[in-house]
Amino acid sequence: MSDRHHRHEHGHHRASPLHRLAHLLTPHSHETADKLDSALESSARGMRALWVSLAVLGVTALAQAAVVAVSGSVALLGDTVHNAADALTAVPLGIAFVLGRRAATRRFTYGYGRAEDLAGIAIVLTIAASAAFAGWTAFDRLLDPRPVAHVPAVAVAALAGVAGNEWVARYRIRVGRDIGSAALVADGLHARTDGFTSLAVLLGAGGSALGWRYADPVVGLAITAAIVCVLRDAAREVFRRVMDAVDPALVDRAERALTAVPGVRGVGELRLRWIGHRLRAEVAVVVDGEATVRAAHRVAVEAEHALLHAVPRLTAALVHADPEPVPGAADPHLPLAHHAVR
């Protein structure tokens, strides 16, 4: 079955400045499948955006780390760790992407798409480690405050963090819109959100310059809180993916598409699950009990076709045709009743 490409249309509405600011500041998920959707897979530009982002954020983090070494700023340390963690998420994602392209085998009959779930767990652990390290360092400095050396260098490093994240944000958003990847656009918005933590470091440097010795550790704790918010969202999304959770709206959309297919007289059990960044479906549809095998098969094929068009990122659907019940007739599934899971 050939890959299908879906175009996502996004409406543009006039919004108040407050609404726009809230949108900019809203944390976005690090969830793995959202980072690599079908548009990313089908486009070399998407993968290039991933690795270019790694390079830019990596250089930014290295430059900030050099300033941390000479200044001792824990606020800048927290921002550095956060930027480094964001950059390194490209590594497990890239590995998972390469594995996910491998063909299914007799052992891995669904393919290797689940590697993205493992990458998601690795990313969550990375974010958790960065939060713990940044928080412990900031708390220790709060108990034992020390002056921040080379405050101008800290301010410049903070501005570098703002510039690096904003450049990555603009690049990801532009490429994401060009290739139709809403996921890459969202990841660009997340990078823009990270730039605000760098602005917080700049505020901490200003406080230190004014002589407030608690400014640096307080800002460091604030950055730790921001990382924890990202961790919460990432952990929730990865947990849902590992547990085969899907958006209920997708189930509703699938049911509406099935009921509109000529010959479908009812929709039975419908299941959707993610395998990597692609969806698969299993569904039972009710057809005319007097229909021939060929006619019932034709309805099943049309139902699968309708699902493929209606549900984004759905690549395959197994459609089972059940005969319409006849009053007084035995349930055709009765021989399976003792196998039912209780």
Side-chain angles (χ1 to χ4, degrees):
M1 183 179 295
S2 62
D3 289 341
R4 295 169 297 106
H5 302 274
H6 299 279
R7 177 169 298 180
H8 301 278
E9 298 180 358
H10 302 279
H12 299 279
H13 304 283
R14 294 186 178 274
S16 66
L18 183 61
H19 176 79
R20 292 174 183 170
L21 179 61
H23 179 70
L24 287 175
L25 291 172
T26 300
H28 294 272
S29 169
H30 282 263
E31 192 258 331
T32 310
D34 283 346
K35 287 181 179 290
L36 293 170
D37 65 3
S38 57
L40 225 65
E41 181 180 1
S42 63
S43 173
R45 290 188 64 194
M47 283 301 295
R48 186 164 61 250
L50 191 67
W51 296 118
V52 168
S53 299
L54 167 64
V56 173
L57 289 178
V59 169
T60 301
L62 286 174
Q64 289 181 321
V67 177
V68 169
V70 298
S71 68
S73 171
V74 294
L76 184 59
L77 175 63
D79 192 37
T80 301
V81 170
H82 189 35
N83 283 330
D86 279 352
L88 290 176
T89 58
V91 176
L93 283 173
I95 294 173
F97 174 75
V98 172
L99 285 175
R101 296 176 64 180
R102 296 181 62 180
T105 66
R106 291 183 65 83
R107 181 178 296 276
F108 297 96
T109 55
Y110 281 95
Y112 293 81
R114 285 287 189 177
E116 292 183 23
D117 295 335
L118 297 178
I121 295 173
I123 289 170
V124 168
L125 293 176
T126 300
I127 298 171
S130 67
F133 179 71
W136 177 83
T137 306
F139 184 73
D140 179 68
R141 186 62 59 84
L142 191 64
L143 296 178
D144 182 22
R146 281 165 268 171
V148 175
H150 304 288
V151 173
V154 174
V156 171
L159 289 174
V162 174
N165 278 294
E166 180 60 23
W167 189 91
V168 167
R170 289 177 180 268
Y171 181 54
R172 287 174 174 172
I173 291 170
R174 183 178 72 252
V175 174
R177 287 175 176 167
D178 286 347
I179 67 176
S181 172
L184 195 55
V185 172
D187 209 24
L189 291 173
H190 173 80
R192 177 165 288 162
T193 303
D194 290 344
F196 286 97
T197 65
S198 296
L199 280 178
V201 175
L202 187 61
L203 293 176
S208 297
L210 294 175
W212 187 37
R213 61 178 184 171
Y214 291 106
D216 189 61
V218 166
V219 171
L221 289 174
I223 291 174
T224 301
I227 300 175
V228 169
C229 288
V230 173
L231 173 64
R232 179 199 61 194
D233 293 341
R236 181 176 62 242
E237 293 300 331
V238 170
F239 174 77
R240 288 176 177 174
R241 186 53 53 89
V242 170
M243 294 299 294
D244 284 332
V246 297
D247 185 350
L250 291 177
V251 180
D252 295 338
R253 179 183 293 190
E255 288 179 340
R256 288 195 299 268
L258 289 169
T259 54
V261 174
V264 173
R265 302 189 177 184
V267 178
E269 188 175 52
L270 171 61
R271 293 180 177 179
L272 297 173
R273 72 183 306 185
W274 288 100
I275 299 179
H277 53 277
R278 295 183 177 276
L279 278 169
R280 293 182 66 94
E282 298 174 6
V283 62
V285 296
V286 179
V287 301
D288 182 5
E290 301 301 321
T292 63
V293 173
R294 291 185 182 278
H297 181 261
R298 183 172 61 253
V299 173
V301 170
E302 291 176 357
E304 180 180 2
H305 191 205
L307 283 175
L308 292 173
H309 278 285
V311 181
R313 295 194 289 276
L314 181 71
T315 57
L318 178 62
V319 182
H320 174 74
D322 283 334
E324 190 172 25
V326 175
D331 183 354
H333 298 103
L334 192 59
L336 304 175
H338 66 284
H339 291 287
V341 178
R342 291 179 173 84

